[in-house]
Structure formats: structure tokens, C-alpha cells
Coordinates of all heavy atoms in Angstrom, one line a residue:
E1 N -5.7 -35.2 -37.2 CA -4.8 -34.7 -36.2 C -4.4 -33.3 -36.5 O -4.4 -32.4 -35.6 CB -3.6 -35.6 -36.0 CG -3.8 -36.9 -35.3 CD -2.6 -37.7 -35.2 OE1 -1.5 -37.1 -35.1 OE2 -2.7 -38.9 -35.3
L2 N -4.1 -33.0 -37.8 CA -3.7 -31.6 -38.2 C -4.9 -30.7 -38.0 O -4.7 -29.6 -37.5 CB -3.2 -31.6 -39.6 CG -2.8 -30.3 -40.2 CD1 -1.7 -29.7 -39.3 CD2 -2.4 -30.4 -41.6
Q3 N -6.1 -31.1 -38.4 CA -7.3 -30.2 -38.2 C -7.5 -30.0 -36.8 O -7.9 -28.9 -36.4 CB -8.5 -30.9 -38.9 CG -8.4 -30.9 -40.4 CD -8.4 -29.6 -41.0 OE1 -9.0 -28.6 -40.5 NE2 -7.6 -29.4 -42.1
D4 N -7.4 -31.0 -35.9 CA -7.6 -30.8 -34.5 C -6.6 -29.9 -33.9 O -6.9 -29.0 -33.1 CB -7.5 -32.2 -33.8 CG -8.7 -33.1 -34.1 OD1 -9.7 -32.6 -34.6 OD2 -8.6 -34.3 -33.7
F5 N -5.3 -30.0 -34.3 CA -4.3 -29.1 -33.8 C -4.5 -27.7 -34.3 O -4.4 -26.8 -33.5 CB -2.9 -29.6 -34.4 CG -1.8 -28.6 -34.1 CD1 -1.2 -28.6 -32.8 CD2 -1.3 -27.8 -35.0 CE1 -0.2 -27.7 -32.5 CE2 -0.3 -26.9 -34.7 CZ 0.3 -26.9 -33.5
L6 N -4.9 -27.5 -35.6 CA -5.2 -26.2 -36.1 C -6.4 -25.5 -35.3 O -6.3 -24.3 -35.0 CB -5.4 -26.2 -37.6 CG -4.1 -26.5 -38.4 CD1 -4.5 -26.6 -39.9 CD2 -3.1 -25.5 -38.2
L7 N -7.4 -26.3 -35.1 CA -8.6 -25.8 -34.4 C -8.2 -25.4 -33.0 O -8.6 -24.3 -32.5 CB -9.7 -26.9 -34.3 CG -10.9 -26.4 -33.6 CD1 -11.6 -25.2 -34.2 CD2 -11.9 -27.6 -33.5
A8 N -7.4 -26.2 -32.3 CA -6.9 -25.9 -30.9 C -6.1 -24.6 -30.9 O -6.3 -23.7 -30.0 CB -6.1 -27.0 -30.3
E9 N -5.2 -24.4 -31.9 CA -4.4 -23.2 -32.0 C -5.2 -22.0 -32.3 O -5.0 -20.9 -31.7 CB -3.3 -23.4 -33.0 CG -2.2 -24.4 -32.7 CD -1.5 -24.0 -31.4 OE1 -1.0 -22.9 -31.3 OE2 -1.4 -24.9 -30.5
K10 N -6.3 -22.2 -33.1 CA -7.2 -21.1 -33.4 C -7.9 -20.6 -32.2 O -8.1 -19.4 -31.9 CB -8.1 -21.5 -34.5 CG -9.1 -20.4 -35.0 CD -10.0 -20.8 -36.1 CE -11.0 -19.7 -36.4 NZ -11.9 -20.2 -37.5
Q11 N -8.4 -21.6 -31.4 CA -9.1 -21.3 -30.2 C -8.2 -20.6 -29.2 O -8.7 -19.7 -28.5 CB -9.7 -22.6 -29.6 CG -10.9 -23.1 -30.4 CD -11.3 -24.5 -30.0 OE1 -10.6 -25.3 -29.3 NE2 -12.6 -24.8 -30.3
K12 N -7.0 -21.1 -29.1 CA -6.0 -20.4 -28.2 C -5.8 -18.9 -28.6 O -5.8 -18.0 -27.7 CB -4.7 -21.1 -28.2 CG -4.6 -22.4 -27.4 CD -3.2 -22.9 -27.4 CE -3.1 -24.4 -27.2 NZ -1.7 -24.9 -27.4
A13 N -5.7 -18.7 -29.9 CA -5.4 -17.3 -30.4 C -6.7 -16.5 -30.1 O -6.5 -15.3 -29.7 CB -5.1 -17.4 -31.9
Q14 N -7.9 -17.0 -30.3 CA -9.1 -16.3 -30.0 C -9.2 -16.0 -28.5 O -9.6 -14.9 -28.1 CB -10.3 -17.1 -30.5 CG -10.5 -17.1 -32.0 CD -11.6 -18.1 -32.4 OE1 -11.9 -19.0 -31.7 NE2 -12.1 -17.8 -33.6
F15 N -8.8 -16.9 -27.7 CA -8.8 -16.7 -26.2 C -7.9 -15.6 -25.8 O -8.3 -14.7 -25.1 CB -8.5 -18.0 -25.5 CG -8.4 -17.9 -24.0 CD1 -9.5 -17.8 -23.3 CD2 -7.2 -17.9 -23.4 CE1 -9.5 -17.7 -21.9 CE2 -7.1 -17.7 -22.0 CZ -8.2 -17.7 -21.2
H16 N -6.7 -15.6 -26.4 CA -5.7 -14.6 -26.1 C -6.2 -13.2 -26.6 O -6.0 -12.2 -25.9 CB -4.3 -14.9 -26.6 CG -3.6 -16.0 -25.9 ND1 -3.1 -15.9 -24.7 CD2 -3.5 -17.3 -26.2 CE1 -2.6 -17.0 -24.3 NE2 -2.8 -17.9 -25.2
A17 N -6.8 -13.2 -27.7 CA -7.3 -11.9 -28.3 C -8.4 -11.4 -27.4 O -8.5 -10.2 -27.1 CB -7.8 -12.1 -29.7
Q18 N -9.3 -12.3 -26.8 CA -10.3 -11.9 -25.9 C -9.8 -11.3 -24.6 O -10.2 -10.3 -24.2 CB -11.2 -13.1 -25.6 CG -12.5 -12.7 -24.9 CD -13.5 -12.1 -25.8 OE1 -13.7 -12.6 -26.9 NE2 -14.2 -11.1 -25.4
I19 N -8.7 -11.9 -24.1 CA -8.1 -11.4 -22.9 C -7.5 -10.0 -23.1 O -7.7 -9.1 -22.3 CB -6.9 -12.4 -22.4 CG1 -7.5 -13.7 -22.0 CG2 -6.1 -11.7 -21.3 CD1 -8.4 -13.7 -20.8
H20 N -6.9 -9.8 -24.3 CA -6.4 -8.5 -24.6 C -7.5 -7.5 -24.7 O -7.3 -6.3 -24.3 CB -5.5 -8.5 -25.8 CG -4.2 -9.2 -25.6 ND1 -3.2 -8.6 -24.9 CD2 -3.7 -10.4 -26.1 CE1 -2.1 -9.5 -24.9 NE2 -2.4 -10.5 -25.6
E21 N -8.6 -7.9 -25.3 CA -9.7 -7.0 -25.4 C -10.3 -6.6 -24.1 O -10.6 -5.4 -23.8 CB -10.8 -7.6 -26.3 CG -11.8 -6.7 -26.8 CD -12.8 -7.3 -27.8 OE1 -12.5 -8.4 -28.3 OE2 -13.8 -6.7 -28.0
F22 N -10.4 -7.6 -23.1 CA -10.8 -7.3 -21.8 C -9.9 -6.3 -21.1 O -10.3 -5.3 -20.5 CB -10.8 -8.6 -20.9 CG -11.7 -9.6 -21.2 CD1 -11.4 -10.9 -20.7 CD2 -12.9 -9.4 -21.9 CE1 -12.3 -12.0 -21.0 CE2 -13.8 -10.4 -22.1 CZ -13.5 -11.7 -21.7
N23 N -8.6 -6.6 -21.2 CA -7.6 -5.7 -20.6 C -7.7 -4.2 -21.1 O -7.8 -3.3 -20.3 CB -6.2 -6.2 -20.9 CG -5.8 -7.4 -20.1 OD1 -6.4 -7.7 -19.1 ND2 -4.8 -8.1 -20.5
D24 N -7.8 -4.1 -22.4 CA -7.9 -2.7 -23.0 C -9.1 -2.0 -22.6 O -9.1 -0.9 -22.1 CB -7.8 -2.8 -24.6 CG -6.5 -3.2 -25.1 OD1 -5.5 -3.1 -24.3 OD2 -6.4 -3.6 -26.3
F25 N -10.3 -2.7 -22.8 CA -11.5 -2.0 -22.5 C -11.7 -1.7 -21.0 O -12.0 -0.6 -20.6 CB -12.7 -3.0 -22.9 CG -14.1 -2.4 -22.6 CD1 -14.6 -1.5 -23.5 CD2 -14.8 -2.7 -21.5 CE1 -15.9 -0.9 -23.3 CE2 -16.0 -2.2 -21.3 CZ -16.6 -1.3 -22.1
C26 N -11.4 -2.7 -20.1 CA -11.6 -2.5 -18.7 C -10.5 -1.6 -18.1 O -10.8 -0.8 -17.2 CB -11.7 -3.8 -18.0 SG -13.1 -4.8 -18.5
W27 N -9.3 -1.6 -18.6 CA -8.3 -0.7 -18.1 C -8.7 0.7 -18.4 O -8.7 1.6 -17.5 CB -7.0 -1.0 -18.8 CG -5.8 -0.1 -18.3 CD1 -5.5 1.1 -18.8 CD2 -5.0 -0.4 -17.2 NE1 -4.4 1.6 -18.1 CE2 -4.1 0.7 -17.1 CE3 -4.9 -1.4 -16.3 CZ2 -3.1 0.8 -16.1 CZ3 -3.9 -1.3 -15.3 CH2 -3.0 -0.2 -15.3
D28 N -9.1 1.0 -19.7 CA -9.6 2.4 -20.0 C -10.8 2.8 -19.2 O -10.9 4.0 -18.8 CB -9.9 2.4 -21.5 CG -8.7 2.3 -22.4 OD1 -7.6 2.5 -21.9 OD2 -8.9 2.0 -23.6
K29 N -11.7 1.9 -18.9 CA -12.9 2.2 -18.1 C -12.6 2.4 -16.7 O -13.2 3.3 -16.0 CB -13.9 1.1 -18.3 CG -15.2 1.3 -17.6 CD -16.2 0.2 -18.0 CE -17.5 0.2 -17.2 NZ -18.1 1.5 -17.0
C30 N -11.7 1.7 -16.1 CA -11.6 1.6 -14.6 C -10.3 2.3 -14.0 O -10.4 2.7 -12.8 CB -11.6 0.2 -14.2 SG -13.1 -0.7 -14.5
V31 N -9.3 2.4 -14.8 CA -8.0 2.9 -14.2 C -7.9 4.4 -14.5 O -7.7 4.8 -15.7 CB -6.8 2.1 -14.6 CG1 -5.5 2.7 -14.0 CG2 -7.0 0.6 -14.3
D32 N -8.0 5.3 -13.5 CA -7.8 6.7 -13.7 C -6.3 7.1 -13.8 O -5.9 7.7 -14.8 CB -8.4 7.5 -12.5 CG -9.9 7.3 -12.4 OD1 -10.6 7.1 -13.4 OD2 -10.4 7.3 -11.3
K33 N -5.6 6.6 -12.8 CA -4.1 6.9 -12.8 C -3.4 5.7 -12.3 O -3.6 5.3 -11.2 CB -3.8 8.2 -12.0 CG -4.3 8.2 -10.6 CD -4.0 9.5 -10.0 CE -4.3 9.5 -8.5 NZ -5.6 9.5 -8.0
P34 N -2.5 5.1 -13.1 CA -1.8 3.9 -12.7 C -0.9 4.2 -11.5 O -0.3 5.3 -11.4 CB -0.9 3.6 -13.9 CG -1.5 4.3 -15.1 CD -2.2 5.5 -14.5
G35 N -0.8 3.3 -10.6 CA 0.0 3.5 -9.4 C 0.7 2.2 -9.2 O 0.7 1.2 -10.0
A36 N 1.4 2.1 -8.1 CA 2.2 0.9 -7.7 C 1.2 -0.3 -7.4 O 1.6 -1.4 -7.4 CB 3.1 1.2 -6.5
K37 N 0.0 0.1 -7.0 CA -1.0 -0.9 -6.5 C -2.4 -0.4 -6.9 O -2.7 0.8 -6.9 CB -0.8 -1.0 -5.0 CG -1.5 -2.1 -4.3 CD -1.1 -2.1 -2.8 CE -2.1 -2.9 -2.1 NZ -1.8 -3.0 -0.7
L38 N -3.3 -1.4 -7.1 CA -4.7 -1.0 -7.4 C -5.4 -0.8 -6.1 O -5.3 -1.6 -5.2 CB -5.4 -2.2 -8.2 CG -4.9 -2.5 -9.6 CD1 -5.7 -3.7 -10.1 CD2 -5.0 -1.3 -10.5
D39 N -6.2 0.3 -6.1 CA -7.1 0.5 -4.9 C -8.3 -0.4 -5.0 O -8.6 -1.0 -6.1 CB -7.4 1.9 -4.7 CG -8.2 2.5 -5.9 OD1 -9.0 1.8 -6.6 OD2 -8.1 3.8 -6.1
S40 N -9.0 -0.6 -4.0 CA -10.2 -1.5 -3.9 C -11.3 -1.1 -4.9 O -11.9 -2.0 -5.6 CB -10.7 -1.7 -2.5 OG -11.3 -0.4 -2.1
R41 N -11.5 0.2 -5.1 CA -12.5 0.6 -6.1 C -12.1 0.2 -7.5 O -12.9 -0.3 -8.3 CB -12.7 2.1 -6.0 CG -13.8 2.7 -6.9 CD -13.7 4.2 -7.1 NE -12.6 4.7 -7.8 CZ -12.4 4.6 -9.2 NH1 -13.4 4.1 -9.9 NH2 -11.3 5.1 -9.7
T42 N -10.8 0.4 -7.9 CA -10.4 0.1 -9.2 C -10.4 -1.4 -9.4 O -10.8 -1.9 -10.5 CB -8.9 0.6 -9.4 OG1 -8.9 2.0 -9.2 CG2 -8.4 0.3 -10.8
E43 N -10.0 -2.2 -8.4 CA -10.0 -3.6 -8.5 C -11.4 -4.2 -8.7 O -11.7 -5.0 -9.5 CB -9.4 -4.2 -7.2 CG -9.1 -5.7 -7.3 CD -8.4 -6.3 -6.1 OE1 -7.7 -5.5 -5.5 OE2 -8.5 -7.5 -5.9
S44 N -12.4 -3.6 -7.9 CA -13.8 -4.0 -8.1 C -14.3 -3.7 -9.5 O -15.0 -4.4 -10.1 CB -14.7 -3.3 -7.0 OG -14.4 -3.8 -5.8
C45 N -14.0 -2.5 -9.9 CA -14.4 -2.0 -11.3 C -13.9 -3.0 -12.3 O -14.6 -3.4 -13.2 CB -13.9 -0.6 -11.5 SG -14.4 0.0 -13.2
I46 N -12.6 -3.4 -12.3 CA -12.0 -4.3 -13.3 C -12.7 -5.6 -13.2 O -13.0 -6.2 -14.2 CB -10.5 -4.3 -13.1 CG1 -9.8 -3.0 -13.5 CG2 -9.9 -5.5 -13.9 CD1 -8.4 -2.9 -13.2
T47 N -12.9 -6.1 -12.0 CA -13.5 -7.4 -11.8 C -14.9 -7.4 -12.4 O -15.3 -8.3 -13.2 CB -13.6 -7.8 -10.3 OG1 -12.3 -7.9 -9.8 CG2 -14.3 -9.1 -10.1
N48 N -15.7 -6.4 -12.1 CA -17.1 -6.3 -12.6 C -17.1 -6.2 -14.1 O -17.9 -6.7 -14.8 CB -17.8 -5.2 -11.9 CG -18.2 -5.5 -10.5 OD1 -18.3 -6.6 -10.1 ND2 -18.3 -4.4 -9.7

């Protein structure tokens, strides 16, 4: 049970790290100037 719990927690941490990596990389690539709202071009770029 402890091993299963630790594995699940490790996988959660890896998932969160991956999300942060997506955010950093794709934000830098797609967002020219932050605004109150994303325009459709920026939204498409981030999605892709």
C-alpha cells in the first residue's frame, strides 16, 4: 500500500511538472503581450 501510494504521488508530481513545462514553453512561444483576454490566434497557438 505504501509503495502504491508513493508511486501515485510520484506520478501526480510528474504530471504537475509536465503541466508547468507546457505552460512555460507554450506561453513563451505564443503570447506576445498579455492582455485581459486571449485573442483567437494566441488561443490556437497555445492549443496546438
Side-chain angles (χ1 to χ4, degrees):
E1 286 179 32
L2 178 60
Q3 290 298 324
D4 290 346
F5 173 77
L6 292 174
L7 179 61
E9 291 301 307
K10 182 179 178 183
Q11 289 172 337
K12 283 185 205 174
Q14 289 172 333
F15 177 75
H16 288 285
Q18 191 76 42
I19 294 295
H20 287 291
E21 195 173 346
F22 292 158
N23 285 344
D24 289 344
F25 180 82
C26 294
W27 182 271
D28 290 343
K29 180 176 175 41
C30 297
V31 179
D32 296 328
K33 53 184 189 289
K37 191 174 162 177
L38 295 178
D39 61 29
S40 62
R41 184 194 67 78
T42 303
E43 190 173 338
S44 290
C45 179
I46 289 173
T47 300
N48 289 332

